[in-house]
Amino acid sequence: MIVEVRGTGSSEGTWDPFGTREQIDGKELVEWAAAQPWSNGSVALHGTSYGAINQLLTAAQQPKGLKALFPIVPMSDAYRDITTSGGEINVSFIPLWLGLVTSLGALPPTYAPSDPVGAAQTLAQHAGGVLAFQAPMVANSTAGGENIYDNPFYRTRSPIETIDRVTVPTFIAGGWYDLFQRGEPLLFQRLEKNGVPVKLVMGPWYHITAGDGLSADGVPSLANLERAWFDHWVCGVANGIESFPAVHYHEIGGGHYHAAPSWPPPGVSYQQRFLSGAARPGAAGDLANAPASSAQQPDVLPWHPAAGLCSRSTAQWTASGQPSTCANDNQTTDATGLAYDVVLDRDLHLAGPVSARLFVATSGKDAYLTVQLEDVDASGKSTELSGGWNLLSLRALDDGKSVTSGSLYVQPYHPFTHASVLPVEAGKIYEVWVEIFPTAARVAKGHSLRLSVQPSDSPHQTPSAPKLVDLAGGVLSLYHDAAHPSSVVLPVKPN
């Protein structure tokens, strides 16, 4: 069955994406299907993106008859994964997505010729949904209202909040350049911890290219994996899929898939590289093995709103799946920010979450940090591996939800709530931990590992109107001396 959720397509009602009523709808649909005379009572769920998210939210309702899931590029956290990363609005995807759903909802239902009155009523309900959800959501966020902060609206719609109630076998497919790059490994980790049969494949995919090129290094295509998954868990076929390695991940720069029993893979250790030397736009500083032992002047970065236009960020966060020259080379964007490099004398293998510990001050009322990890070859071509974002005023940490290794935050968790906003005084130095989304990569000997810092990420992230006033004209100072050991924390895998 293919179902158009409430308030979309030909379905009646008002659209409330991933809301409580929609989640109950999912449970009722599964149980209805399982109870039909043409059904044997066993139901599996399939879907990509929205359909993947709905699988997890439906499974958390524990409907009778549900046997297995195969979510492709699912979301984990509605706030952190996609809507408001780091405290600024994702305007490259969310408005386009809302507009697409709105426009499709304005099309006449398929039953319009046979039931024009019912079709007219459905269209009227869809129009009411625009006024009830889409328009207020965008207006509230743009104006700096409560939707710019994490709140119950996002928690209700985040599968990570209910994932502990998912008990059926689940196969997750995600991508290193996907919209939900951050959350797919987190969903896997929670299900694995709970003893649920679960697998994870992470490929070199954007949101709309999931599965492209798979069927390599002993990993079947997604279609064949899904067939085997459902044959076993729904139909009882003894095909050995339960013994398939728990994780297969593509290594960016290495070009191959690697099997692992867990994520991150066994043996990963978290190591720091410290910012050093004098960096300025167009001239990189250094990434050193130890913090500076002497005083160093801070590096200075004026605010500008156009950073990121020529970078992989644009391809990833528009979900285009069509990487341009800019998407494959960040060096144009890097030239407008601060960069810190280290030339490698051996291959470096990374697998896991990344973080940056930065000591910064601003001349303004707030500052926005865009931090990207990159692989720079001998020609200067810079391949973005991953990124992270954070407003200075939303630097507060939740230790209970952060992942640590010793004294290091390897996956810092920020509340991002209105109550967690901290003051920013011009000229005062603050410590900020930036979560950089997980990755797996091989940076080859002779290449440089780069940490790039920008004051914006356009068109991906845009500040609300009040926050734009706070950011405009500010000058960021990035400190990296003995008293302020700014660093990047890397998940290093043994060669």
Side-chain angles (χ1 to χ4, degrees), residues 88-140:
E88 287 195 354
I89 311 161
N90 182 344
V91 297
S92 63
F93 178 75
I94 295 298
L96 296 175
W97 173 65
L98 291 174
L100 176 63
V101 175
T102 300
S103 62
L104 292 176
L107 296 175
T110 54
Y111 51 80
S114 61
D115 183 11
V117 174
Q121 291 173 340
T122 296
L123 286 173
Q125 291 171 346
H126 291 186
V130 175
L131 298 175
F133 176 73
Q134 289 98 307
M137 178 72 179
V138 173
N140 182 281

Side-chain angles (χ1 to χ4, degrees), residues 22 88 122 188 277 312 383 457 475 495:
E22 187 175 291
E88 287 195 354
T122 296
F188 167 82
R312 188 182 293 275
T383 300
D457 190 22
V475 177
N495 291 350

Side-chain angles (χ1 to χ4, degrees), residues 365-444:
K365 295 181 179 179
D366 207 343
Y368 191 67
L369 295 167
T370 295
V371 184
Q372 287 155 337
L373 191 69
E374 300 169 7
D375 174 356
V376 185
D377 69 15
S379 72
K381 177 184 175 183
S382 182
T383 300
E384 181 180 327
L385 304 177
S386 191
W389 307 265
N390 225 95
L391 274 169
L392 186 52
S393 58
L394 290 172
R395 63 190 180 275
L397 289 166
D398 183 334
D399 284 342
K401 293 185 176 181
S402 296
V403 179
T404 59
S405 176
S407 63
L408 300 175
Y409 290 92
V410 300
Q411 201 160 25
Y413 187 95
H414 303 270
F416 290 129
T417 60
H418 203 163
S420 73
V421 174
L422 295 175
V424 176
E425 299 178 23
K428 186 173 180 179
I429 303 174
Y430 297 100
E431 178 185 30
V432 186
W433 282 91
V434 181
E435 177 188 12
I436 299 174
F437 290 178
T439 190
R442 167 184 169 266
V443 186

Side-chain angles (χ1 to χ4, degrees), residues 179-232:
L179 298 173
F180 306 125
Q181 165 197 357
R182 174 187 180 273
E184 290 144 352
L186 292 176
L187 292 167
F188 167 82
Q189 288 174 323
R190 285 282 284 276
L191 290 169
E192 183 186 46
K193 179 182 177 182
N194 293 338
V196 177
V198 61
K199 308 292 182 186
L200 174 69
V201 170
M202 293 293 293
W205 303 316
Y206 291 85
H207 194 60
I208 65 173
T209 63
D212 282 6
L214 191 60
S215 191
D217 301 315
V219 189
S221 68
L222 283 189
N224 285 334
L225 285 169
E226 182 170 16
R227 185 179 299 111
W229 192 247
F230 289 157
D231 277 350
H232 180 72

Side-chain angles (χ1 to χ4, degrees), residues 349-374:
H349 296 268
L350 305 174
V354 185
S355 65
R357 181 193 188 195
L358 303 178
F359 291 87
V360 299
T362 180
S363 64
K365 295 181 179 179
D366 207 343
Y368 191 67
L369 295 167
T370 295
V371 184
Q372 287 155 337
L373 191 69
E374 300 169 7

Side-chain angles (χ1 to χ4, degrees), residues 230-244:
F230 289 157
D231 277 350
H232 180 72
W233 293 110
V234 182
C235 303
V237 176
N239 56 15
I241 189 65
E242 73 277 13
S243 300
F244 191 69

Side-chain angles (χ1 to χ4, degrees), residues 148-189:
I148 202 68
Y149 304 104
D150 198 4
N151 61 56
F153 173 88
Y154 296 108
R155 295 303 92 220
T156 296
R157 291 159 176 80
S158 295
I160 197 68
E161 296 295 317
T162 57
I163 196 66
D164 291 339
R165 297 205 299 268
V166 175
T167 59
V168 297
T170 302
F171 198 118
I172 299 170
W176 293 130
Y177 303 128
D178 179 37
L179 298 173
F180 306 125
Q181 165 197 357
R182 174 187 180 273
E184 290 144 352
L186 292 176
L187 292 167
F188 167 82
Q189 288 174 323

Side-chain angles (χ1 to χ4, degrees), residues 272-280 283-292 296 299 338-343 358 448-452 478-480 486-488:
Q272 290 185 88
R273 287 279 187 166
F274 296 88
L275 281 59
S276 183
R280 65 182 187 276
D286 302 317
L287 285 177
N289 287 323
Q296 295 189 6
D299 300 325
L338 299 175
Y340 301 87
D341 294 355
V342 57
V343 179
L358 303 178
S448 293
L449 181 71
R450 170 173 291 175
L451 190 74
S452 170
L478 177 52
Y479 291 79
H480 44 73
S486 291
S487 67
V488 58

